[in-house]
Amino acid sequence: FFKQKTAYEIHERLVGSEMCIRDRFMLFNPNARFDKILTSAAGWFTVLDNTIQFPYGLNNSILTQEPPLSNNSYLIDILSKNHIIQVGTLDNDPNFPGLRHNEFADAQGLHRVDRAIHFYNQAQNFAQTNSLSFNWTLNIINGLSHNTGDSIEYGCDLIFN
């Protein structure tokens, strides 16, 4: 199946949106082939800011070893990809078990909804400031909590329909 495709769609929820965005796929894999990527209910994000220490920002990451971020061809490509950031309006519990809290994560917001909005807005502002194409979507689903089953259903609809 994958041998015949040049790109694939990804919904990352079960093993962690953070891993999909940051560590494994989107931000640090320049050869990643995907048509769409959906990150859902991430606990925190790696923002496109080289003044914030990795892993919460890009300072001391492989991306800051390249030209300035605004001229980084890989980052330009990432911003132009179809990336859907999904979060439910009820995923707003700052005391949700396992939700990370420290000065860097909390600077993004105190719960998943605020952190998703912060990540999207920061990336959009970066793209606009540098006159770059931006093809990301923020999808806030009314009434959705941090429920894996519902999240997958909405995610699959966004990716495949």
Side-chain angles (χ1 to χ4, degrees):
F1 174 72
F2 286 109
K3 291 180 182 177
Q4 296 175 352
K5 293 191 72 132
T6 58
Y8 37 89
E9 296 83 16
I10 295 175
H11 174 268
E12 189 53 52
R13 173 65 171 77
L14 297 176
V15 297
S17 288
E18 298 92 344
M19 185 176 290
C20 182
I21 296 169
R22 182 180 59 251
D23 299 325
R24 297 288 187 261
F25 209 78
M26 195 177 112
L27 284 180
F28 299 105
N29 186 354
N31 297 317
R33 300 177 327 235
F34 60 89
D35 290 330
K36 292 181 187 177
I37 191 165
L38 175 104
T39 51
S40 182
W44 59 279
F45 296 89
T46 299
V47 295
L48 305 181
D49 186 330
N50 62 359
T51 66
I52 299 172
Q53 191 70 25
F54 182 78
Y56 298 95
L58 298 178
N59 189 14
N60 288 331
S61 75
I62 60 172
L63 290 179
T64 56
Q65 297 170 11
E66 295 287 324
L69 291 181
S70 59
N71 295 330
N72 185 307
S73 62
Y74 179 56
L75 250 181
I76 292 168
D77 185 53
I78 288 170
L79 291 168
S80 71
K81 297 280 190 182
N82 188 352
H83 178 197
I84 304 163
I85 302 161
Q86 175 178 281
V87 67
T89 57
L90 300 179
D91 204 352
N92 60 358
D93 182 358
N95 299 310
F96 193 87
L99 183 63
R100 185 175 294 193
H101 288 286
N102 60 42
E103 68 177 294
F104 301 105
D106 289 350
Q108 298 176 10
L110 295 180
H111 52 73
R112 286 181 174 88
V113 177
D114 284 348
R115 292 175 183 184
I117 292 168
H118 173 81
F119 178 62
Y120 176 84
N121 287 340
Q122 192 275 345
Q124 184 179 47
N125 289 339
F126 178 84
Q128 287 175 344
T129 299
N130 294 289
S131 301
L132 302 175
S133 175
F134 186 71
N135 196 28
W136 293 12
T137 305
L138 177 60
N139 188 38
I140 302 175
I141 301 169
N142 192 31
L144 183 67
S145 65
H146 198 70
N147 179 298
T148 301
D150 293 340
S151 176
I152 290 173
E153 182 178 332
Y154 282 102
C156 287
D157 187 54
L158 288 169
I159 288 177
F160 299 112
N161 295 323

